[in-house]
Amino acid sequence: MNGLVGHGALLVSLPFLALGILLMPAAVRRGKQDWVAVAYGSVYANFLLVSAAVIAMIVALVTHDFSVSYVAQVGSRATPLFYTVISLWGALEGSILFWAWVLALYSILVVSTNRDRPGTLVPYAAMVLLLVSLFFAILLVGPANPFHVVFPVPPDGPGPNPLLQNHILMGVHPPLLYLGYVGMSVPFAFAVGALLSGEAESNDWIRLTRNWTVLTWGLLSAAIIAGMWWSYEVLGWGGYWAWDPVENASFLPWLTATAFLHSAMVQERRSMLRLWNINLVVGTFVLTILGTFLTRSGIISSVHAFTTGTIGYYFLGFIALVLVSTLVLVAGTSDKLRTTGHLDSAASRETVFLLNNLFLTGFMLTVLVGTLFPLVAEAVRGVKVSVGTPFFNRMSLPMIVALLFLMGVGPALPWKSASRAELRARLLPPISGAVVLLVVALVIGVHNFYGVLAFTFVGYSATANLREFWIGTRARRLAHGEAWPTAFVRLVLGNRRRHGGYIAHLGIFLVALGITASSSLRTESEATLTPGQTITVSGHTLRLKQVWGREEQQRSVVGATMEELDGSGRVTGTMEPHMNFYPLSQQPVPTPDVHSGPLGDLYLNLMAVKPDGSNATIKAIYEPLVPWIWFGGGVIVFGAVIGAWPGRRRVVAVASAPLVARPAKDNAA
Amino acid sequence: MRALLRTAALLLFVSVGAYGQVASPAESAATVIRVAAPRDSVLEARTSAVASQLRCPVCQGLSIQDSPSELAQSMRAVVRDQLASGKSPDEVNAYFVSKYGEWILLAPRPRGFNLIAYLLPVLVVLSGGIGIFVAVRRWTRGTTEIPAE
Amino acid sequence: MNWRRSAIAAAFAVPLIGLFVFGLRHDPKDIPSPLPGTVAPTFALEVFAPGQPPLGRPVGDTIRLADLKGQVVVLNFWASWCLSCRDEHATLSAIALTYAGKQVHFVGSLYQDRTDAGTEWIAQMGGQSYPSVQDPKARTAIDYGLYGVPETFIVNRDGRIARKITGPVEANVVTHIVDSLLAVPASTATGGVK
């Protein structure tokens, strides 16, 4: 029943989508507003149908309906309810269904908030969204069908991948990722819509999607940080980023989206970089699809790689279609988009944003080249090579520190131009912050070149950003006589985008410090202990109390209880790293225990246990400042939310092309 | 205006210089592990440096330094023994390449075709930087020099 | 609409798509080994599972690759925790018996496992016709560039690795290779059959 409802709903969505896609250009060309409304209707219909499919799937999962193929693949009666529900996105087909639903949701939000705008931009944007939805619908009724009928119905299933049942962040990271990823379809749809409707020279498409892009960017940032946190807490090696292709897949669109956030401002103010922005937005969308393709098709080996199969060819076909059609469209209409404006001065925020874009794009290309290079090398040389952490770190660190520095220069410089005295007054004071953090770095023991540089630049830039808050608040106090807190809040709310951006910058600085400190200052030690023996790392002593085992609903657990001892030998806490054994998996899943403090984490991993329980091998790692990464992530999201918060509605003259494109051909309705 | 362009150019050159920095494997931002256990810490540090460059065959992209798997630990022991017996890091790498192929190195050897992976991003950033320089020049033509006050 | 420029731009997509088509047709997990054709790494390992007559060797004996020069050697890495090893176990034992008395030696090497677990596994599987040795610290496994188990190496009479088989072996493949290697006398063999 569930399978029937789900599959049926998705099948029915196909003609609705096709109707909307075919109807829209006809409606636009003939100026028929009611046809446009019908086409919008198919957006709503699609949402209802995909929602029905999702509900059917969730019901099937929760009721353990193993006649549905996806449930038979990832479901199990032993799995707790929380993990059962979130296994919706745990494997390939379910995750595609979830993607389709988020896209449908975004589509109705876009249509409902923008449909009253006169002109052809919104109709074409909706059409593009429908086209993307159509692709996913085809996948869902074809190669990625989660609703196949399984007969005879098995009594039970294998349950989700053990790694996906180990931590509640599994319920957080994928939805955030999809919300962010799929969200990039919206600026893309508007950019293409702008090209199709001839409105690409105006800044409307950016204006309309501005808040949307900031919020989506914030969600994607949160998703990446959540993914890092999940990896850190679950995988047991004490790291949070391995430059795995799937991690890179989420990072690539984030880089171009960040670049776009900045260059969009240049376009809005100076009407420049219009072609560049279109390319950035299209590139971001292509990267989201590319990322999905890389990890879903099995083309590159990755932690997230799902099964290989025909689905790779479908994705490739879609990528080819999107790439070729957008290249054709952009290249064909780019004549009108040449920059006609001019800059007042090179010493301006505009220039800094150009450099920001340069390094972010360079960073993106580095990661892209590194991710694809094994494939290229095999195609050209026939030899398999690896491209891993040493390559990525070495190639990207210069750009990262350059960006850290620019993040301090940008906020300090005004738009348009600055006199030499102004430059001095704005760019010199943060140097004090740089010196402070330089000293701090050297004192705490960061001695490698890039670590010291990172600290120094963060010091500079954080001071510059904070100074902006201080200067602005002080100015408000002088002008309005407000108290400090009131002035501060009013300042932020008065220009949410700018101050949200500064807050996000501060979040990035926290993340940068966390990453730098934990890579440079990490200490670890490993020992095999019998009960009563201790292991020490970075001043922390832990004693093995006992080795134990227990049965849980869906797994067996073997663990070690470790007691934390203070200087005088008193027990200050306990930690329990353990290993989870799942019935259908050969290898146990190690689950480290992490004790977080404001300055660092004590990280324990159980490496091995003697079968009779007489000893346990423990790896103890001290990771300085890692909690700053997660906290910084929260600050980034907070900044994005503030930046995206809608302000007072401004009445702007809309550069609208009339719905009637060619009056001469207008037939009577 | 000039000052900022100079700074930008400086930044670019510093970046290029940073790429060309011939850092020893331990310095090139691989995780520097300082082991607290009472083993020969110099040997441990050298082992970690070499191990961070070698890929764990049974993991997804982790180095044998980071991987908790048994094979990785056994390989680390091989690295340690070879270094202790006087082999150089290059010789240790060559040993593993002879057994597992080039794939075992976590960064492709910077020679021949592999250089494309290293040079392409640098070239792009450089040419982009030059492009920005030229464009900003063109876009600010006709405006007056910034006043010195 | 500048179609010429569009066509040029679209052409840029072609190599990228071509690359991905290439990628879809190749398995990233299939890593070719550099060992076939090279001299088989030497080993001297202690027997822990004696096998059965007529191929048996006593527990505690040392099997050295150097001693086996001039013969064809089939070296199979396995473990009790390896599910695929179960698929090939009976095949290997049976093939080994068919070559008894000929100049072929089958050796099993235990990988990342405890010998008592290995012995128990052999008993569960109904015995193993040839002896198995233990490889503490996986030195020999690493010497053979092992990625996992099961992996089987077939060494020719000149001591060079003729073939590496990843995954459970198939009987006809092994017998075909061994037969062709047996047919070549030791001194005139010129390298391995890949």
Side-chain angles (χ1 to χ4, degrees):
Chain A
M1 183 56 197
N2 295 311
L4 215 56
V5 169
H7 189 55
L10 293 169
L11 273 174
V12 170
S13 77
L14 286 173
F16 275 99
L17 290 168
L19 175 70
I21 291 167
L22 293 171
L23 195 57
M24 196 63 92
V28 165
R29 208 164 301 149
R30 289 171 213 224
K32 294 210 194 287
Q33 194 64 42
D34 43 351
W35 286 17
V36 172
V38 171
Y40 284 156
S42 68
V43 175
Y44 290 95
N46 181 50
F47 175 70
L48 285 172
L49 290 165
V50 177
S51 301
V54 169
I55 292 175
M57 179 55 81
I58 295 182
V59 167
L61 281 168
V62 171
T63 59
H64 302 300
D65 179 0
F66 294 108
S67 71
V68 174
S69 61
Y70 186 71
V71 181
Q73 190 187 335
V74 304
S76 162
R77 294 186 196 277
T79 309
L81 183 62
F82 176 77
Y83 290 106
T84 298
V85 172
I86 70 175
S87 63
L88 172 65
W89 47 73
L92 176 66
E93 295 85 356
S95 65
I96 303 235
L97 178 62
F98 188 59
W99 182 304
W101 181 77
V102 175
L103 182 59
L105 175 69
Y106 283 169
S107 301
I108 62 166
L109 286 175
V110 163
V111 166
S112 59
T113 52
N114 288 301
R115 63 186 304 164
D116 292 329
R117 178 191 181 276
T120 55
L121 174 59
V122 179
Y124 276 123
M127 182 189 80
V128 173
L129 286 172
L130 284 172
L131 276 165
V132 182
S133 284
L134 181 63
F135 168 65
F136 282 96
I138 292 176
L139 281 184
L140 282 168
V141 302
N145 184 0
F147 291 109
H148 278 301
V149 175
V150 181
F151 190 81
V153 180
D156 202 347
N161 184 317
L163 272 179
L164 304 180
Q165 297 185 55
N166 249 25
H167 201 279
I168 55 166
L169 274 174
M170 230 355 245
V172 169
H173 161 65
L176 281 177
L177 188 68
Y178 283 98
L179 287 174
Y181 241 35
V182 179
M184 294 302 166
S185 314
V186 172
F188 168 74
F190 274 85
V192 174
L195 288 173
L196 289 171
S197 64
E199 287 190 40
E201 295 142 67
S202 89
N203 298 333
D204 269 5
W205 71 269
I206 291 195
R207 205 181 37 82
L208 285 174
T209 54
R210 179 204 301 155
N211 290 345
W212 183 276
T213 309
V214 172
L215 201 55
T216 306
W217 174 91
L219 288 168
L220 190 53
S221 311
I224 294 175
I225 302 273
M228 290 165 69
W229 200 352
W230 176 86
S231 159
Y232 176 74
E233 296 259 339
V234 169
L235 294 182
W237 59 289
Y240 36 77
W241 190 263
W243 297 106
D244 180 87
V246 72
E247 295 170 317
N248 298 346
S250 67
F251 194 46
L252 289 167
W254 184 87
L255 288 169
T256 49
T258 309
F260 174 63
L261 283 181
H262 293 84
S263 58
M265 286 192 248
V266 177
Q267 177 168 344
E268 286 192 27
R269 283 170 188 275
R270 314 305 301 263
S271 287
M272 305 169 80
L273 301 181
R274 288 172 298 182
L275 181 59
W276 174 248
N277 280 326
I278 300 233
N279 283 327
L280 264 183
V281 164
V282 170
T284 305
F285 175 73
V286 171
L287 284 171
T288 60
I289 303 290
L290 187 71
T292 316
F293 167 66
L294 286 179
T295 50
R296 300 266 188 268
S297 65
I299 199 175
I300 289 183
S301 178
S302 151
V303 278
H304 265 39
F306 294 99
T307 53
T308 51
T310 54
I311 199 165
Y313 287 101
Y314 279 78
F315 264 100
L316 185 57
F318 185 59
I319 290 177
L321 195 66
V322 171
L323 261 184
V324 170
S325 50
T326 52
L327 280 170
V328 164
L329 191 58
V330 173
T333 55
S334 62
D335 282 332
K336 300 187 234 160
L337 296 172
R338 291 255 160 262
T339 289
T340 51
H342 76 278
L343 289 181
D344 288 334
S345 156
S348 60
R349 194 173 292 179
E350 288 91 327
T351 313
V352 176
F353 279 20
L354 284 173
L355 290 172
N356 150 300
N357 266 237
L358 173 69
F359 288 115
L360 282 169
T361 313
F363 194 176
M364 185 277 289
L365 275 168
T366 306
V367 176
L368 187 63
V369 165
T371 308
L372 293 180
F373 192 72
L375 203 52
V376 174
E378 193 189 345
V380 170
R381 284 176 65 205
V383 176
K384 289 215 154 71
V385 296
S386 296
V387 179
T389 305
F391 173 87
F392 287 108
N393 281 356
R394 182 183 201 164
M395 300 295 287
S396 44
L397 278 171
M399 284 183 281
I400 294 177
V401 295
L403 284 165
L404 286 175
F405 176 64
L406 285 175
M407 286 164 79
V409 176
L413 283 185
W415 293 103
K416 297 214 181 133
S417 74
S419 68
R420 215 159 272 159
E422 255 191 301
L423 282 179
R424 244 179 284 131
R426 285 164 176 263
L427 293 181
L428 290 185
I431 292 185
S432 52
V435 171
V436 167
L437 275 206
L438 169 64
V439 170
V440 166
L442 294 173
V443 162
I444 63 177
V446 177
H447 293 143
N448 59 314
F449 178 71
Y450 283 112
V452 171
L453 216 56
F455 263 75
T456 312
F457 285 161
V458 165
Y460 179 84
S461 300
T463 311
N465 277 266
L466 287 169
R467 233 179 135 250
E468 290 299 308
F469 281 110
W470 181 64
I471 293 177
T473 312
R474 186 182 60 176
R476 275 199 79 97
R477 262 176 56 84
L478 288 175
H480 303 270
E482 293 160 347
W484 283 101
T486 319
F488 177 75
V489 172
R490 292 248 177 91
L491 172 75
V492 170
L493 294 181
N495 191 337
R496 286 164 233 245
R497 195 206 215 168
R498 163 189 286 195
H499 295 103
Y502 293 163
I503 295 175
H505 280 183
L506 292 174
I508 304 245
F509 296 142
L510 289 171
V511 171
L513 288 179
I515 293 180
T516 310
S518 59
S519 343
S520 309
L521 301 175
R522 186 178 183 230
T523 46
E524 63 179 51
S525 99
E526 188 174 330
T528 306
L529 306 171
T530 56
Q533 290 188 323
T534 61
I535 181 175
T536 308
V537 68
S538 195
H540 297 259
T541 307
L542 295 124
R543 177 176 62 204
L544 173 63
K545 184 169 179 210
Q546 65 169 134
V547 176
W548 49 263
R550 68 163 180 254
E551 288 295 318
E552 284 182 7
Q553 181 180 354
Q554 79 281 34
R555 58 195 177 193
S556 335
V557 183
V558 167
T561 306
M562 306 288 296
E563 291 171 318
E564 236 185 303
L565 306 174
D566 69 0
S568 44
R570 269 172 320 162
V571 176
T572 53
T574 47
M575 294 175 70
E576 297 200 320
H578 51 277
M579 292 193 212
N580 296 338
F581 290 82
Y582 293 88
L584 267 98
S585 171
Q586 287 181 34
Q587 307 277 22
V589 179
T591 310
D593 200 359
V594 183
H595 221 158
S596 291
L599 285 181
D601 277 356
L602 187 56
Y603 188 105
L604 290 186
N605 200 25
L606 183 60
M607 305 288 283
V609 166
K610 199 145 183 202
D612 57 5
S614 58
N615 68 33
T617 309
I618 303 277
K619 190 174 200 179
I621 311 177
Y622 187 70
E623 312 241 18
L625 293 194
V626 164
W628 289 31
I629 302 177
W630 325 132
F631 181 67
V635 174
I636 295 175
V637 175
F638 181 59
V641 167
I642 295 210
W645 203 266
R648 297 163 252 111
R649 274 196 177 266
R650 270 178 273 172
V651 179
V652 186
V654 169
S656 59
L659 198 53
V660 180
R662 297 191 199 97
K665 280 200 181 153
D666 184 24
N667 300 318
Chain B
M1 187 258 279
R2 291 259 155 91
L4 201 71
L5 280 178
R6 254 184 271 135
T7 315
L10 188 65
L11 215 60
L12 268 168
F13 281 118
V14 167
S15 312
V16 173
Y19 282 122
Q21 190 192 50
V22 179
S24 71
E27 256 209 290
S28 61
T31 307
V32 174
I33 309 285
R34 299 196 307 230
V35 180
R39 289 183 240 176
D40 176 2
S41 44
V42 171
L43 180 62
E44 275 314 302
R46 290 180 69 211
T47 308
S48 307
V50 174
S52 300
Q53 308 289 315
L54 293 169
R55 182 172 187 167
C56 161
V58 296
C59 321
Q60 285 297 346
L62 284 184
S63 66
I64 59 176
Q65 175 60 33
D66 287 331
S67 164
S69 74
E70 279 199 71
L71 179 58
Q73 299 310 309
S74 305
M75 287 170 77
R76 273 196 80 210
V78 171
V79 171
R80 190 183 294 117
D81 289 350
Q82 291 202 359
L83 285 175
S85 71
K87 292 229 170 100
S88 74
D90 279 341
E91 286 171 318
V92 178
N93 283 343
Y95 167 77
F96 280 102
V97 170
S98 72
K99 301 299 174 190
Y100 287 92
E102 272 187 66
W103 183 89
I104 202 75
L105 297 174
L106 268 176
R109 281 187 289 208
R111 60 182 97 128
F113 183 76
N114 293 341
L115 281 173
I116 292 183
Y118 289 95
L119 291 180
L120 189 61
V122 181
L123 287 174
V124 167
V125 172
L126 263 184
S127 43
I130 294 173
I132 289 181
F133 187 81
V134 167
V136 169
R137 257 249 162 104
R138 188 168 9 113
W139 291 336
T140 55
R141 203 179 302 149
T143 61
T144 51
E145 276 289 319
I146 47 172
E149 59 78 22
Chain C
M1 184 71 182
N2 188 334
W3 286 106
R4 204 176 127 259
R5 197 178 288 168
S6 294
I8 298 176
F12 276 95
V14 172
L16 195 62
I17 306 294
L19 178 70
F20 291 143
V21 172
F22 170 84
L24 280 177
R25 301 167 63 139
H26 286 74
D27 182 5
K29 295 204 174 60
D30 173 34
I31 320 270
S33 165
L35 287 176
T38 63
V39 174
T42 189
F43 60 81
L45 298 173
E46 192 185 304
V47 173
F48 78 95
Q52 293 150 355
L55 302 171
R57 288 278 285 268
V59 174
D61 239 26
T62 304
I63 298 187
R64 292 189 186 78
L65 185 61
D67 295 342
L68 301 174
K69 187 141 183 182
Q71 309 193 40
V72 174
V73 180
V74 177
L75 177 61
N76 168 263
F77 289 90
W78 62 275
S80 68
W81 45 261
C82 154
L83 290 181
S84 319
C85 301
R86 297 172 178 239
D87 295 341
E88 62 169 12
H89 179 256
T91 311
L92 280 169
S93 273
I95 302 177
L97 279 173
T98 65
Y99 285 104
K102 312 219 179 112
Q103 295 185 314
V104 181
H105 248 88
F106 277 68
V107 181
S109 180
L110 192 63
Y111 170 73
Q112 302 282 25
D113 206 352
R114 296 184 334 270
T115 48
D116 53 335
T119 321
E120 201 187 305
W121 187 84
I122 292 177
Q124 271 176 16
M125 300 293 289
Q128 193 177 52
S129 63
Y130 52 89
S132 272
V133 296
Q134 52 176 318
D135 177 20
K137 300 195 199 170
R139 290 298 158 107
T140 303
I142 293 175
D143 249 359
Y144 277 80
L146 223 71
Y147 284 94
V149 280
E151 284 185 16
T152 308
F153 294 82
I154 306 185
V155 182
N156 71 8
R157 293 184 189 259
D158 279 346
R160 284 183 179 269
I161 298 179
R163 178 86 93 107
K164 168 184 171 179
I165 302 173
T166 327
V169 300
E170 280 165 46
N172 51 352
V173 172
V174 176
T175 47
H176 174 78
I177 300 173
V178 173
D179 287 339
S180 58
L181 291 180
L182 272 176
V184 179
S187 49
T188 59
T190 50
V193 171
K194 280 227 169 61

